[in-house]
Amino acid sequence: MDFDIDTETAHSARIYDYIIGGKDHFPADREAGDAMCREWPALPVHMRANRDFMHRAVRHLAREAGIRQFLDIGSGIPTSPNLHEIAQAAAPDSRVVYVDNDPLVLALSRDRLAGTPEGRTAYLEADMRDPAGILAAPAFRTTLDLDRPVALTVIAIVHFLLDEHDAVGIVRRLLDPLPSGSYLAMSIGTADFAPEEVGRVAREYAARGMPMRLRTDAEAAAFFTGLDLVDPGIVQVHRWHPDGTGTVVERDEDIAMYGAVARKP
């Protein structure tokens, strides 16, 4: 099957893949990633710490919270271990629906997202700005059972939603149909800790057609209104249930992402 992939224009998922050491990127993505790292040398540490947070959050949800269903929004280029690998290592019967709108992600996902025989993984090409379309899609409906709790994971993506997109409303419309006992796990871009450096990176993204909306701690908290936060609440991603593995973070200023997990009453 042919996919219409624009290799001449940098894409956020491929920039991320390049910076964390992946292999699915093109010269435009590498140029952009190098420019951003010159502006903020801590960017690779920041991005890897974000991915480590996803691993810990999913492991917690599968092991401690007993979640067996995951809806991953803005899944990005598959980089092992992927979300389903983390979840199914803890609970082989876990089911995962990945959602992204990059054709390259779609192409790669079909080859790389095979899960355990007991579980199931599906990939849905869709835009998170269309929650109704996601929730009505056959891949969603046939994979996840809305009579059982679902973990909605929204990792490192809402900073690409501007004020006019109503990011909080989008997340709420995805969460609302999920039953009581479901969870929301998010990481949310911020300039609270290194405003000048992160601001320069944001300008590099914007110059390539990817404007960003970075959020304060109070703005991050708005995503979790009405939910029960898991301790320690909303913190920088490297401070959420650290386990001594993964990326070493020496300074809080090197992390520009809040992370939290919360239960829907």
Side-chain angles (χ1 to χ4, degrees):
M1 183 179 294
D2 293 329
F3 295 92
D4 183 16
I5 299 172
D6 179 3
T7 63
E8 301 298 321
T9 302
H11 187 284
S12 59
R14 300 195 302 260
I15 295 169
Y16 184 88
D17 180 75
Y18 170 61
I19 292 176
I20 67 171
K23 58 185 178 62
D24 298 299
H25 39 74
F26 300 102
D29 309 305
R30 296 191 285 273
E31 182 278 328
D34 290 342
M36 293 167 187
C37 290
R38 285 194 296 271
E39 295 293 350
W40 190 33
L43 187 58
V45 171
H46 155 81
M47 287 185 169
R48 288 194 293 266
N50 173 75
R51 189 158 184 86
D52 292 344
F53 162 76
M54 184 273 284
H55 293 167
R56 296 194 306 276
V58 170
R59 194 174 294 115
H60 172 89
L61 289 166
R63 289 180 179 174
E64 308 301 327
I67 296 296
R68 298 294 179 265
Q69 303 190 108
F70 295 82
L71 174 60
D72 185 43
I73 303 296
S75 54
I77 290 172
T79 304
S80 187
N82 294 294
L83 188 151
H84 74 279
E85 294 173 301
I86 298 293
Q88 291 176 351
D93 59 337
S94 296
R95 293 180 163 225
V96 178
V97 174
Y98 291 103
V99 180
D100 206 292
N101 66 347
D102 179 8
L104 180 61
V105 174
L106 172 62
L108 296 172
S109 294
R110 289 183 171 173
D111 294 331
R112 300 185 189 174
L113 296 186
T116 60
E118 303 94 327
R120 185 170 178 181
T121 60
Y123 180 82
L124 172 59
E125 185 175 18
D127 193 317
M128 72 175 296
R129 292 172 294 184
D130 179 23
I134 293 171
L135 296 169
F140 174 84
R141 291 289 177 178
T142 60
T143 305
L144 303 183
D145 177 3
L146 292 185
D147 290 329
R148 300 168 56 212
V150 177
L152 172 63
T153 57
V154 187
I155 305 298
I157 190 66
V158 294
H159 50 272
F160 292 115
L161 295 178
L162 307 182
D163 288 344
E164 59 263 34
H165 297 138
D166 182 21
V168 172
I170 287 171
V171 172
R172 187 60 51 172
R173 290 193 292 277
L174 289 166
L175 188 63
D176 279 347
L178 307 184
S180 174
S182 294
Y183 281 80
L184 172 64
M186 290 188 71
S187 61
I188 301 162
T190 183
D192 282 356
F193 302 94
E196 292 186 8
E197 296 88 339
V198 176
R200 292 197 298 267
V201 172
R203 286 193 290 274
E204 291 288 343
Y205 272 101
R208 293 165 176 81
M210 295 172 282
M212 303 175 79
R213 173 63 163 86
L214 300 164
R215 291 175 170 86
T216 65
D217 56 349
E219 290 169 329
F223 288 96
F224 299 95
T225 300
L227 305 179
D228 298 326
L229 284 162
V230 173
D231 286 339
I234 302 169
V235 295
Q236 286 174 283
V237 288
H238 66 298
R239 295 193 172 279
W240 196 90
H241 289 227
D243 59 8
T245 67
T247 304
V248 175
V249 178
E250 296 181 351
R251 308 186 316 148
D252 287 347
E253 293 87 346
D254 292 343
I255 303 300
M257 200 80 75
Y258 286 116
V261 175
R263 184 181 184 273
K264 182 178 179 180

